Amino acid sequence: MKTHYDAIVVGSGLTGSLAARELTQAGLEVLLLERGSPRLCPSLPASSFPSIDLDDFHIQRNCYLFEGPNLAHYFVNDREHPYLSDPDAPFWWIRGYQLGGRSATWAGQSYRWSDLDFNANLVDGAGCDWPIRYTDLAPWYSKVERLIGLTGRKEGVPQIPDGEFGKARSLNAVEEHLRKTLQGKFTRLLTPSRIAEGRSNGKRSCQFCGETHSDGVVYYSSINGALPEAMATGRLAVKTGSIVHSVLLDHRSGRASGVRVIDATSKAEAEYQARIVFLCASTIPTNQILLNSTSRQFPTGIGNSSGVLGRYLVDHHWKSGANARIRLPSDISNQESEVPWGSYVPRFRNLGVEPSRDYLRGFGYQVSSGMIDNEGDWLVNFHGFGETLPSQSNFIELDRTQSDSYGMPLVRIHFEYGANEYAMRGDMQASAVEMLEAAGAEEVIPIQEPAIPGHSIHEMGGARMGRDKRDSFLNGWNQSHEVANLFVTDGACMASSACQNPSITYMALTARACHHAVDLLKKGEL
Ligand SMILES: Cc1cc2nc3c(=O)[nH]c(=O)nc-3n(C[C@H](O)[C@H](O)[C@H](O)COP(=O)(O)OP(=O)(O)OC[C@H]3O[C@@H](n4cnc5c(N)ncnc54)[C@H](O)[C@@H]3O)c2cc1C
């Protein structure tokens, strides 16, 4: 098999498949390395899937989507893929090792970040200043939105800038009622969720297998989106069952020369070379690969002279909000939301509009609702997603005394929420109750479940972008400060978490970094 390429991309999820698409469409010969393999479509009869032992999935089964054998194989077997965290401070790492990564299982919620988010670290000093601002990313959001078939309603609110939207579904009756209440009584917004529905071209193809199905909710995925487009260029080689162990350093040039790979079946090692390397294995595996890439020059991980690698892990805290029953006049008939998580209340705290709170940053709500009888009763759930402040004490390290069955040192995750997150959670709950009561709800039930880090599946950071190579790992182009042809564009690159679902931002950063890398190659600078 060929071993030299223009570019190596690690991981085939939302970011890796996009990198493969952008780089191949720009004319590069790309090798995509993916540790997992293609999976059967869960729409097949249950008899197509082996039965599972739930104890093998003691972390994964906490994910709301984990239900039964049809979907279990889209999640890792926790016994086969161990990692370490403090039993008193657990971190639930929800993941899937398969062609397409977690694009197969994500829910497509996608909101642009704004300068409220990109300025935040500079303004309040928690975290290093982002080296980019919204205008740097805006055109790349547009490009990604066209690819993923984003639907939404243009609202003109600065904290979630409008994008290139296809037509959003209508709000249902209770959502219309809540929208009016929030606008009238609070000057807040409730808008249809912005969802990556995939490009239709007259038909919708399955998120899992890419085939056309007549029913079910489908979102954009690598399998129905970027991967086939990259394959169509004829310049993509995909090697599944390939676990990237480390990035190789060429000592003379100080550049990455390629990667070392372990075969998932035979456990044989191999090396592949390329002019540029893109790490898109998702936040924690990318940190693992970087920390595992040691050399005389970089004894604690490639490009890690600053010692910042692995630090400032962030995520979203959730499981705080409220449930309620709302009775509308029974002559109002309207169907239930067509998709789970039907609408969204964007951040309204610490915007400068309402008085600021006793905590920094803010949260948004995903709102789901459904009519429960013919008397006009609806159930509504406000589910908060809150920003987590960057903290040096939340980090990933490798335990070099323990390794997995492939010889990779185990990841140890240290993560605890701090006073800011707990103060915000109180407000997340109280504000949901307040808004539902203002909407005339009966039986408002506050929700405050224990928040387990990782559970929201929005883990980010560890190889953060920044202006200063002394306190960040990547520059403003997602390029290692120290190893110029090494790019990290998955969630590991994030310098803060904002409160919006993050994947579209990883994707916009990926597209932008790919085009920059191609420009540098053309100019002979890489
Ligand atoms: C149920 C669910 C719902 C979600 N809903 C949303 C949502 O609505 N909105 C949102 O923004 N986000 C959502 N997410 C999160 C979203 O899926 C992730 O943020 C996104 O998939 C990250 O993209 P990625 O390319 O970085 O990583 P992934 O999609 O996880 O892909 C990484 C790939 O790298 C591979 N890999 C890992 N290690 C190695 C290695 N050493 N060598 C080779 N390959 C490797 C993996 O097998 C995987 O295929 C959801 C996630 C889940 C599970």
Side-chain angles (χ1 to χ4, degrees):
M1 185 189 167
K2 190 173 148 176
T3 56
H4 286 66
Y5 293 83
D6 295 324
I8 288 173
V9 176
V10 181
S12 65
L14 285 174
T15 59
S17 61
L18 178 63
R21 172 190 190 254
E22 297 304 304
L23 296 172
T24 51
Q25 289 184 348
L28 270 55
E29 295 287 333
V30 176
L31 173 64
L32 178 64
L33 294 165
E34 165 55 55
R35 69 175 296 159
S37 52
R39 293 281 190 261
L40 288 179
C41 183
S43 66
L44 291 170
S47 57
S48 317
F49 303 92
S51 60
I52 55 163
D53 178 350
L54 274 182
D55 289 342
D56 288 343
F57 297 89
H58 60 279
I59 302 291
Q60 308 307 311
R61 68 186 189 206
N62 296 302
C63 176
Y64 70 90
L65 197 71
F66 185 96
E67 37 174 69
N70 293 41
L71 274 166
H73 62 302
Y74 281 91
F75 294 85
V76 299
N77 180 314
D78 291 307
R79 280 205 182 132
E80 287 173 11
H81 300 284
Y83 66 98
L84 306 166
S85 65
D86 185 343
D88 297 328
F91 186 98
W92 285 349
W93 178 15
I94 311 289
R95 56 201 157 129
Y97 292 159
Q98 61 260 340
L99 189 65
R102 288 176 294 181
S103 76
T105 46
W106 81 318
Q109 295 258 358
S110 304
Y111 306 90
R112 290 186 180 203
W113 288 24
S114 74
D115 273 339
L116 183 70
D117 308 306
F118 292 113
N119 280 323
N121 287 0
L122 181 65
V123 169
D124 61 36
C128 68
D129 187 20
W130 276 89
I132 57 166
R133 289 296 182 265
Y134 175 67
T135 48
D136 297 308
L137 215 47
W140 304 99
Y141 275 126
S142 297
K143 184 177 177 70
V144 170
E145 285 160 356
R146 288 192 291 270
L147 169 70
I148 67 179
L150 191 66
T151 59
R153 188 188 285 189
K154 287 193 191 282
E155 300 283 9
V157 294
Q159 63 272 40
I160 47 163
D162 291 331
E164 312 265 332
F165 298 145
K167 190 173 179 304
R169 67 170 184 86
S170 310
L171 293 175
N172 65 29
V174 80
E175 289 170 327
E176 285 291 2
H177 171 70
L178 286 162
R179 180 177 165 97
K180 282 192 196 115
T181 306
L182 265 56
Q183 255 163 1
K185 297 191 177 168
F186 299 93
T187 332
R188 294 176 193 163
L189 176 70
L190 180 142
T191 186
S193 301
R194 296 178 178 175
I195 299 288
E197 297 200 26
R199 278 182 300 182
S200 62
N201 295 334
K203 58 183 178 137
R204 304 275 299 282
S205 53
C206 174
Q207 179 177 5
F208 296 98
C209 68
E211 300 295 325
T212 306
H213 292 303
S214 53
D215 55 355
V217 176
V218 289
Y219 305 119
Y220 167 86
S221 73
S222 305
I223 301 295
N224 66 23
L227 270 184
E229 292 191 21
M231 290 302 289
T233 64
R235 287 187 283 272
L236 179 66
V238 179
K239 204 166 178 328
T240 54
S242 300
I243 303 170
V244 172
H245 166 278
S246 51
V247 178
L248 301 168
L249 181 73
D250 176 55
H251 293 277
R252 275 169 307 170
S253 64
R255 299 276 167 90
S257 57
V259 295
R260 177 165 300 135
V261 170
I262 303 162
D263 187 283
T265 311
S266 69
K267 300 191 179 165
E269 284 193 15
E271 291 185 359
Y272 297 94
Q273 276 76 40
R275 296 159 73 195
I276 53 174
V277 175
F278 268 70
L279 292 186
C280 301
S282 78
T283 299
I284 295 168
T286 284
N287 275 279
Q288 182 186 33
I289 294 166
L290 290 167
L291 288 163
N292 202 32
S293 305
T294 54
S295 58
R296 234 177 317 112
Q297 190 182 345
F298 296 119
T300 62
I302 190 165
N304 189 30
S305 301
S306 64
V308 79
L309 181 61
R311 302 253 157 203
Y312 302 100
L313 193 62
V314 285
D315 80 340
H316 291 150
H317 54 97
W318 69 348
K319 300 277 169 194
S320 176
N323 283 327
R325 188 169 60 80
I326 297 184
R327 172 161 288 197
L328 300 178
S330 56
D331 57 342
I332 297 181
S333 67
N334 203 330
Q335 77 284 15
E336 288 190 19
S337 298
E338 287 165 17
V339 290
W341 308 113
S343 46
Y344 187 67
V345 176
R347 175 175 160 184
F348 50 84
R349 288 299 190 216
N350 298 327
L351 300 180
V353 181
E354 299 185 7
S356 63
R357 293 280 148 162
D358 56 352
Y359 58 83
L360 300 172
R361 321 248 175 144
F363 57 88
Y365 293 104
Q366 296 186 2
V367 179
S368 56
S369 58
M371 194 159 52
I372 51 171
D373 57 31
N374 293 327
E375 310 295 314
D377 287 318
W378 293 74
L379 277 188
V380 180
N381 170 261
F382 270 50
H383 191 136
F385 279 71
E387 177 156 6
T388 302
L389 287 186
S391 161
Q392 203 190 8
S393 56
N394 289 334
F395 66 100
I396 300 165
E397 61 180 344
L398 298 187
D399 183 334
R400 295 190 185 279
T401 66
Q402 303 184 59
S403 52
D404 65 16
S405 58
Y406 306 100
M408 288 286 276
L410 292 195
V411 163
R412 185 184 293 279
I413 305 170
H414 303 267
F415 200 110
E416 285 189 74
Y417 294 127
N420 201 70
E421 286 80 42
Y422 284 108
M424 191 188 296
R425 292 177 67 70
D427 189 20
M428 256 155 96
Q429 181 193 46
S431 299
V433 170
E434 183 188 26
M435 288 187 279
L436 287 162
E437 285 178 350
E442 303 158 36
E443 295 175 34
V444 180
I445 302 167
I447 300 171
Q448 192 61 263
E449 294 176 21
I452 309 292
H455 196 195
S456 68
I457 328 176
H458 292 166
E459 71 283 355
M460 296 170 241
R464 66 181 181 181
M465 296 169 75
R467 295 178 190 275
D468 187 339
K469 67 177 181 187
R470 289 168 304 178
D471 68 5
S472 60
F473 187 81
L474 302 167
N475 69 14
W477 296 101
N478 294 75
Q479 198 175 5
S480 158
H481 284 299
E482 297 188 271
V483 181
N485 63 341
L486 174 60
F487 293 80
V488 175
T489 69
D490 56 28
C493 74
M494 304 297 278
S496 64
S497 77
C499 65
Q500 301 91 309
N501 305 61
S503 306
I504 190 174
T505 299
Y506 313 160
M507 294 177 81
L509 287 165
T510 299
R512 179 172 175 269
C514 286
H515 286 258
H516 182 66
V518 170
D519 281 350
L520 293 180
L521 285 172
K522 280 187 187 149
K523 288 188 210 150
E525 292 176 20
L526 276 185

